[in-house]
Amino acid sequence: MSDPMKPTLLVVDGHSLAFRAFYALPVDSFTTRDGQHTNAIHGFLSMLLLLLANEKPTHLAVAFDKSRVSFRTREYEEYKGNRGETPVEFKGQVPILQEALQAMGITVLEKDDYEADDLLATLATRGEASGYRVLLVSGDRDTIQLVDDEVTLLYPNSQGVSQLKRYDTAAVIERYGIRPEQYPDVAALVGETSDNLPGIPKVGEKTAVKWLGLYGDLDGILEHADEIKGVVGQNLRDHREHAVRNRKLNRLVRDVPLDVELDALESKPIDLEAIRPIFERLEFRTLMERITKLVTGEASAAAAAPVPPVATDQPAPEAPKAARAVGDELAAWLERAVAAEPAGLGLHLEVLDGRVIGAGVATRTETLEVQWQPGRAELAPFEAWLASAAPKIVTDAKGQLKALQRSGLAFDGLVVDPLVAGWLIRPNLQEKNLSDLVERYLGERVPEGDPAQLVPAEDEASGPPELAWFSARLAPAVLAAMSEGTRRVLADVEMPLVPVLAAMELRGVTVDHAQLAELSTSLGERAAALAASAYAEIGREVNLGSPKQLQEVLFDQLGMPKTRATKTGYSTDASALADLQDSNPHPFLGLLLEHRDATKLRQIVDALDKSIAADGRIHTSYGQIGAATGRMSSNDPNLQNIPIRTEEGRRIREAFRHGEDFAELLTADYSQVEMRIMAHLSGDPGLIEAFNAGEDLHRFVGARVFGVEPADVSPLMRTKVKAMSYGLAYGLSAFGLSKQLRIDRAEATQLMKDYFERFGAVRDYLRGVVEQAKVDGYTETIFGRRRPFPDLNSPNRVLRENAERAALNSPIQGSAADLIKLAMSRTEQALAGAGLRSRMLLQVHDELIFEVAEGESEQVEQIVRDAMAHAADLLVPLDVQIGRGASWDDAAH
DNA sequence: CCTCGAACGTA
DNA sequence: CGTACGTTCGAGGG
C-alpha cells in the first residue's frame, strides 16, 4: 500500500475523457443560447471537480493529443485509420475546455508527435521516481500497463464519465487475470478494432491470458507458436506479425521530452473570478456553484452561512480503534463503559437488507465493534445491554430500531437521538444527518465513504464504531445547546415516540388491491371520456395537465380574461377556473375541472396500489423531524393526504382495511384541537365557556358574534363563523376571509370586528404571540417546543408578514402536535401494558387509526380515549371522537 | 438528469 | 393577501 502522506499527482487524459463525456451526455441539451455545444466540456469538468474533491491531488495536469498524427501513424499508417472524422461538435469544444482548464490554473499538456497516453506514461514514470503517489485517469485501455504499486488508474465504466473504476495492481489481476505490465501483450494478441489494429483471429482475452500463463510473455508465446495446436495455433503462426506490430504500437513512451517540471504541476487554489466569465459564457451555473463550494467549502456566496458555535480549527480527536470482544470480555467491556458514561453509550447498528449485521458501541473515548448474527451465545451480553434500560444514544434511531425489531432483538433505553435533538434546536431542517450535526456541534468532519461513489476508499469511511463514537460525543454537545424546555420536549415527547413510530411503520396497514385496481380503471375511463369531450369543445387535443398549454387555450383561443398572475403566466388552478366559469361560462372549464379531479384521484390510487408490499400492507415512513412546527410528515407513500372530502375520495379510504387477524379498524380524533388550544393559550373566557358548555362550538360562537340565541344561528351564520374561527389560527386577513366566503370586503371586516369584540382575549393573544416572538426571536408551544423566526424583524415586508403569520400559527399547530405525540406514546404503552393485541397503525395529525383484535374493542376505546383526552391538562377539556368499521371510511364518524 | 413551479391532496 | 406538509407533472436548463 502506498503512503498516504506522499504527494499525489493526478494526470488526466483530456481527450479520451472529454470524448467519453461527449457521447455520454446529450449534445442537444448542452448547448448555449448562441449555439455552442458544451456537453464534452461540462462532462469533463464535472468529473474533474469530483476528482479534485475526492482525491485532493497535490499536483495536477491534463494531457491532450496534439493532433491525429503521431509517431505511431508514421510507423503504421492505418493506425486509427478506421476512425471516422471526429465530429465537429466535439472538436470545437476542446480548445474551450483547454481555456477553461487554464483559467482554473490547471496545466494543460500536449506534445507534437505523441498521444496523451504517452504523456501520462511519462509523468507517471517521473512522478513515481520522485516519490509521488500517481493517479491516472484515462479511457484508453493501453494505460493499464502503467499501473503498479504507486500508480493507480481510474477508468470510466460504460455508464459514462461520472463513475470511475479504480485499477490498482490487485484490481487489474482480478479483472484480467494478469499483471498490469502483461496487459500490452494481451492487447497485442487480441488486437484493437477501434484503433484499426487487428490481432490474431479467434484469439480473445481468455486465450491470450492462458498463453501468457503458459509461456510468460509475448516473445515466449511466439517462440512456442509451433506447439500451439488447432485453428488458433495456425492463426497465431499466420498473423504473428500483427501481434508484433501491435505490441510495438501499444507500448507507451515513458520518456517524452517534456519541458515541464513536476513542481510546476502543483495544484493552485482556483481563482473563482478568473473562471467566472468563461463559465458564464458556457452557461454552467451548477458547475460554478460546485467550484465555489469546492474552493470556499461553503454552499454559495449568496446564502450567509450561520456561524457554527464550535471553532473548527482545533485539532479533532482521532477515532479510537474499535475493540472486539465476545462472551465475558464483551460483558466486561460493556459493564465498564456503562459505568463510565452515565449519560449513555453511543450505538450505531449496521443494517443490511433491513436486518442487523453488526453494531458499534462507544463511550466518548472508546469504541467496540460487534458482528451480529442470530443465535450466537457469546453475544448475549450485547443483546442484554440492548434490551436493558441502560441509556443509549442513537443518531437517526428510527430506522435502526426497525432493523432491531426485524432481527428479533429487544431494545430499550433510547435517551437521545442527536438528530431529533438537533431538529428541536433548529427545526428548519438545517442539520439533516449525523455529519451535519458533527460539523455544527463538534466542529469536526465525519470521514465519509465517497458519496458520489467515485472510487470509494473503504479504509477512510466511518464504520459503526466511529459513528457510535460520534453519537456519544454529540449528545452532550447538543444537549448543552438546548433550552430546558426543549430538553423536556426531547425527553418527554420525542424520544418515547421513536420506537412507537418504528413499530407503526413495521406494522403498516392492509390495503385492498382489488378495490384500488377497480377504482383506477373507472377513474381512468372517466378521465379519458372527459378529455375527449374537452377536446371536442376546443376542436383540438392539448395536454390537459400542462398549465402552459391550458393558458393558450383559455386566454388565446377562447379569449378569456386573464386570471391571477403566476411566475410563469396566469393561473389555471381550480379557484381561477371557477372564477372564469362565473364570468365566462364555457363547457370546457367544467370538463377540465372534472378531468383534473379524476386524474388526480387516479394518480393517488395508482401510487397507493404500487406501494402495497408483499404482506398486502402499505408501510409509510414517518418523518419525525419533518415539520418546523413539530408535526410529523408521512411519505413513501404519504398517508396523511388521502382524500376524504368527495365521495370518490372516500372510496379510496374504503380500500384501507383491518388485517385478517383483526376484527375492525378504530379511528380516534381530537375534535377542534386547535381551537381548544387557542382557548387555553388565550384564556378567553367566552371561548373557554363555549368548550365547557359542551355545545356545538360554531353555533355557540355564532350566537355570540351575531347576538342571537344559539338555536337561532342559521347554517350560513355558522359557516361564516366556522371559517373565521379556523382562519384565525392561520393569520387570516379580511381580504382572505372575504375571498373564501365569497362575501365583500366590508362584510368580512365587520365579521372580524364583531368576532374580536366578543372574543377579545383571542385577538390580544394572537397579537402578543407575534410581539413576543419579535423580542425573543422564537415562539414556544405549551410544552416548550421552540421555533425561531429570523424574518420577523426583516425590512422586507413580504418576508416579515409571512413570518408573522407563521409565528401566529406555530404555538397552536405545534402544541397540537405535542399533544398527539404524547398521546401516541401513552397509548402504545397502555395497549401493550394491558396485554392487548390491538395496535396503533397510523397518525394523521389529529387522528389515530388502530387495528382492533376480536373482543378488544371496548378496552381499546377506553385506553385510547383516556390517553388522548388526558395527554395534557388544559383550561378546556379535550374531546375525542371514536369510530369503528371494517374500513378507514367506515370507521369515520 | 436534475430542479423548479404549479397544482392539489390532507390536517 | 391563511399555516403545515408530500407527490406528481410539465417545463426548462445544464
Side-chain angles (χ1 to χ4, degrees):
Chain A
M1 267 293 109
S2 66
D3 178 357
M5 295 312 286
K6 279 187 174 184
T8 301
L9 169 65
L10 177 70
V11 193
V12 183
D13 178 341
H15 235 110
S16 83
L17 268 290
F19 202 62
R20 286 203 173 228
F22 178 72
Y23 282 112
L25 301 173
V27 67
D28 48 333
S29 45
F30 284 90
T31 305
T32 63
R33 263 181 287 275
D34 44 11
Q36 172 65 50
H37 297 305
T38 59
N39 59 339
I41 307 172
H42 189 279
F44 183 92
L45 291 177
S46 172
M47 175 219 66
L48 188 64
L49 289 181
L50 213 54
L51 281 168
L52 295 182
N54 291 323
E55 303 295 343
K56 303 187 176 52
T58 54
H59 295 68
L60 173 62
V62 180
F64 285 87
D65 299 336
K66 178 95 188 207
S67 69
R68 284 184 67 163
V69 284
S70 68
F71 72 92
R72 291 190 179 84
T73 49
R74 284 204 311 274
E75 204 76 22
Y76 173 61
E77 57 184 64
E78 290 83 10
Y79 179 64
K80 296 195 175 178
N82 60 342
R83 292 218 176 150
E85 199 54 40
T86 316
V88 280
E89 293 86 346
F90 174 72
K91 250 187 192 166
Q93 295 187 49
V94 174
I96 302 175
L97 172 59
Q98 293 179 340
E99 186 191 347
L101 288 170
Q102 270 151 0
M104 289 167 73
I106 294 169
T107 308
V108 172
L109 296 174
E110 44 183 18
K111 181 80 181 171
D112 265 330
D113 225 27
Y114 293 97
E115 295 180 57
D117 284 343
D118 297 313
L119 305 185
L120 263 62
T122 300
L123 288 175
T125 308
R126 285 202 208 167
E128 190 169 9
S130 312
Y132 288 80
R133 207 179 128 231
V134 181
L135 285 174
L136 302 176
V137 186
S138 173
D140 192 328
R141 287 183 194 278
D142 286 335
T143 49
I144 290 172
Q145 62 186 275
L146 300 172
V147 172
D148 65 20
D149 284 350
E150 297 300 332
V151 179
T152 301
L153 170 68
L154 304 178
Y155 186 87
N157 68 15
S158 50
Q159 255 68 283
V161 287
S162 63
Q163 305 225 337
L164 298 177
K165 175 144 173 60
R166 171 166 283 207
Y167 282 105
D168 54 17
T169 306
V172 172
I173 293 173
E174 190 194 329
R175 165 67 178 79
Y176 294 101
I178 45 157
R179 301 193 47 78
E181 63 270 21
Q182 295 178 297
Y183 183 81
D185 290 348
V186 173
L189 289 163
V190 175
E192 178 65 76
T193 39
S194 73
D195 288 345
N196 202 23
L197 294 174
I200 312 297
K202 300 283 176 217
V203 172
E205 224 170 84
K206 280 212 176 129
T207 310
V209 169
K210 189 178 80 185
W211 288 351
L212 274 178
L214 289 171
Y215 308 112
D217 59 14
L218 182 61
D219 291 338
I221 293 168
L222 295 176
E223 268 172 40
H224 295 87
D226 295 339
E227 300 164 20
I228 297 173
K229 293 188 287 260
V231 187
V232 279
Q234 191 55 48
N235 283 345
L236 175 62
R237 292 186 283 280
D238 290 349
H239 298 91
R240 58 184 302 150
E241 74 287 355
H242 280 175
V244 173
R245 177 206 60 210
N246 293 351
R247 184 65 186 86
K248 200 165 166 190
L249 290 172
N250 72 17
R251 170 169 294 116
L252 298 178
V253 182
R254 288 173 178 264
D255 56 356
V256 176
L258 279 176
D259 46 10
V260 63
E261 293 303 319
L262 289 180
D263 287 348
L265 303 180
E266 191 166 2
S267 315
K268 296 173 263 299
I270 295 173
D271 179 358
L272 292 173
E273 294 322 305
I275 57 171
R276 198 180 301 280
I278 299 179
F279 276 46
E280 273 174 15
R281 177 153 54 87
L282 297 172
E283 298 168 11
F284 288 170
R285 232 186 47 217
T286 51
L287 276 185
M288 191 66 211
E289 289 255 330
R290 280 174 58 191
I291 292 199
T292 308
K293 207 166 161 182
L294 187 71
V295 171
T296 64
E298 295 291 339
S300 146
V307 185
V310 180
T312 49
D313 48 2
Q314 44 192 291
E318 281 277 318
K321 195 164 161 20
R324 284 204 188 181
V326 293
D328 293 345
E329 215 183 317
L330 176 58
W333 195 99
L334 287 167
E335 195 180 330
R336 198 163 40 78
V338 167
E341 298 282 14
L345 299 185
L347 168 68
H348 189 96
L349 295 154
E350 190 174 15
V351 175
L352 185 69
D353 294 333
R355 313 262 161 181
V356 175
I357 58 166
V361 185
T363 68
R364 283 170 292 175
T365 53
E366 286 182 275
T367 62
L368 170 78
E369 184 169 18
V370 177
Q371 311 244 307
W372 192 83
Q373 289 166 359
R376 282 182 59 187
E378 68 271 27
L379 296 179
F382 171 66
E383 295 177 11
W385 172 73
L386 277 181
S388 77
K392 295 161 191 88
I393 300 156
V394 187
T395 303
D396 205 357
K398 191 184 67 184
Q400 297 178 54
L401 298 198
K402 284 167 74 172
L404 282 171
Q405 202 164 319
R406 284 200 196 93
S407 304
L409 285 163
F411 179 86
D412 193 17
L414 180 68
V415 284
V416 179
D417 180 337
L419 192 68
V420 175
W423 166 70
L424 285 175
I425 298 171
R426 305 187 348 134
N428 292 330
L429 218 60
Q430 277 112 341
E431 287 79 35
K432 292 189 261 313
N433 52 46
L434 178 75
S435 130
D436 293 347
L437 291 165
V438 166
E439 272 179 45
R440 181 171 182 87
Y441 293 99
L442 296 178
E444 300 169 24
R445 285 185 178 276
V446 179
E448 274 177 62
D450 199 332
Q453 314 141 329
L454 182 93
V455 280
E458 274 185 25
D459 48 332
E460 282 179 20
S462 301
E466 287 74 33
L467 297 173
W469 177 69
F470 276 117
S471 291
R473 295 162 58 236
L474 212 37
V478 177
L479 288 173
M482 299 175 89
S483 69
E484 207 189 311
T486 315
R487 272 199 293 270
R488 252 200 330 267
V489 173
L490 180 72
D492 299 346
V493 179
E494 301 296 352
M495 286 306 103
L497 187 65
V498 178
V500 176
L501 295 182
M504 290 167 67
E505 292 182 9
L506 284 174
R507 288 168 192 155
V509 57
T510 293
V511 174
D512 184 342
H513 162 75
Q515 163 120 12
L516 291 185
E518 195 184 312
L519 256 177
S520 174
T521 310
S522 72
L523 288 167
E525 282 166 3
R526 184 187 319 158
L530 287 162
S533 311
Y535 299 152
E537 286 297 333
I538 57 172
R540 67 195 180 108
E541 293 198 7
V542 295
N543 185 341
L544 296 175
S546 162
K548 197 174 169 215
Q549 296 183 33
L550 287 177
Q551 287 173 45
E552 284 171 28
V553 173
L554 297 174
F555 309 122
D556 299 340
Q557 185 181 344
L558 301 179
M560 301 216 170
K562 299 282 167 60
T563 55
R564 173 175 63 86
T566 66
K567 280 192 182 172
T568 51
Y570 300 95
S571 174
T572 65
D573 69 14
S575 79
L577 294 179
D579 289 345
L580 284 179
Q581 188 68 290
D582 280 351
S583 59
N584 295 58
H586 192 288
F588 178 75
L589 294 171
L591 292 165
L592 174 57
L593 281 168
E594 283 190 65
H595 178 263
R596 278 233 182 106
D597 260 14
T599 49
K600 175 77 183 177
L601 283 174
R602 186 157 99 113
Q603 185 187 296
I604 291 173
V605 168
D606 290 348
L608 285 176
D609 199 22
K610 266 209 281 238
S611 47
I612 299 177
D615 59 0
R617 301 173 75 96
I618 291 182
H619 302 262
T620 186
S621 301
Y622 287 105
Q624 189 173 2
I625 62 173
T629 51
R631 270 194 181 175
M632 305 200 301
S633 63
S634 155
N635 59 29
D636 291 316
N638 183 355
L639 293 187
Q640 291 180 324
N641 71 344
I642 304 303
I644 189 171
R645 288 172 200 195
T646 63
E647 175 54 37
E648 286 292 336
R650 282 194 293 277
R651 297 214 50 210
I652 299 178
R653 290 188 174 222
E654 280 176 15
F656 286 72
R657 308 279 173 76
H658 60 80
E660 271 187 39
D661 299 340
F662 294 85
E664 62 186 6
L665 289 182
L666 180 146
T667 70
D669 63 59
Y670 280 121
S671 59
Q672 301 134 347
V673 246
E674 300 203 342
M675 279 306 282
R676 287 171 199 267
I677 287 165
M678 188 124 76
H680 174 84
L681 287 171
S682 68
D684 187 284
L687 209 49
I688 290 174
E689 191 192 335
F691 283 119
N692 283 322
E695 190 173 351
D696 177 289
L697 172 77
H698 304 303
R699 182 168 294 280
F700 183 99
V701 172
R704 292 288 179 95
V705 170
F706 292 107
V708 299
E709 288 301 311
D712 297 331
V713 173
S714 69
L716 183 63
M717 288 156 80
R718 189 177 181 283
T719 303
K720 286 179 178 173
V721 160
K722 187 177 170 185
M724 171 83 207
S725 286
Y726 276 112
L728 277 180
Y730 300 143
L732 186 68
S733 63
F735 176 88
L737 185 64
S738 72
K739 223 175 72 168
Q740 194 195 325
L741 290 173
R742 292 180 160 244
I743 59 181
D744 62 45
R745 282 284 285 281
E747 190 186 345
T749 308
Q750 186 62 41
L751 179 61
M752 289 184 83
K753 192 162 160 273
D754 292 344
Y755 194 104
F756 283 137
E757 224 151 78
R758 315 287 184 225
F759 301 97
V762 171
R763 179 196 47 207
D764 297 344
Y765 162 71
L766 293 172
R767 263 194 207 146
V769 168
V770 176
E771 271 170 33
Q772 191 63 42
K774 278 187 181 168
V775 175
D776 297 337
Y778 59 84
T779 60
E780 214 168 27
T781 67
I782 299 175
F783 303 87
R785 179 193 302 276
R786 290 183 182 179
R787 177 178 177 193
F789 285 97
D791 286 344
L792 275 182
N793 292 308
S794 166
N796 178 328
R797 208 183 86 182
V798 179
L799 281 183
R800 188 180 62 245
E801 291 183 345
N802 284 340
E804 285 174 1
R805 285 189 299 273
L808 188 104
N809 171 260
S810 245
I812 299 168
Q813 195 184 116
S815 297
D818 294 343
L819 267 183
I820 197 159
K821 282 179 165 178
L822 275 170
M824 288 169 73
S825 303
R826 287 174 166 227
T827 307
E828 180 81 8
Q829 192 89 56
L831 288 174
L836 300 178
R837 276 180 55 231
S838 303
R839 49 197 198 155
M840 180 160 54
L841 302 184
L842 303 175
Q843 189 252 40
V844 190
H845 307 308
D846 66 355
E847 175 186 17
L848 298 175
I849 293 111
F850 299 83
E851 198 165 41
V852 180
E854 188 69 49
E856 296 183 356
S857 198
E858 291 306 314
Q859 231 179 323
V860 170
E861 169 166 354
Q862 208 58 54
I863 286 172
V864 171
R865 196 181 280 286
D866 180 66
M868 290 178 75
H870 301 120
D873 194 15
L874 305 186
L875 296 176
V876 294
L878 287 170
D879 183 41
V880 179
Q881 305 256 15
I882 303 258
R884 301 182 173 75
S887 75
W888 191 1
D889 185 48
D890 291 337
H893 24 262

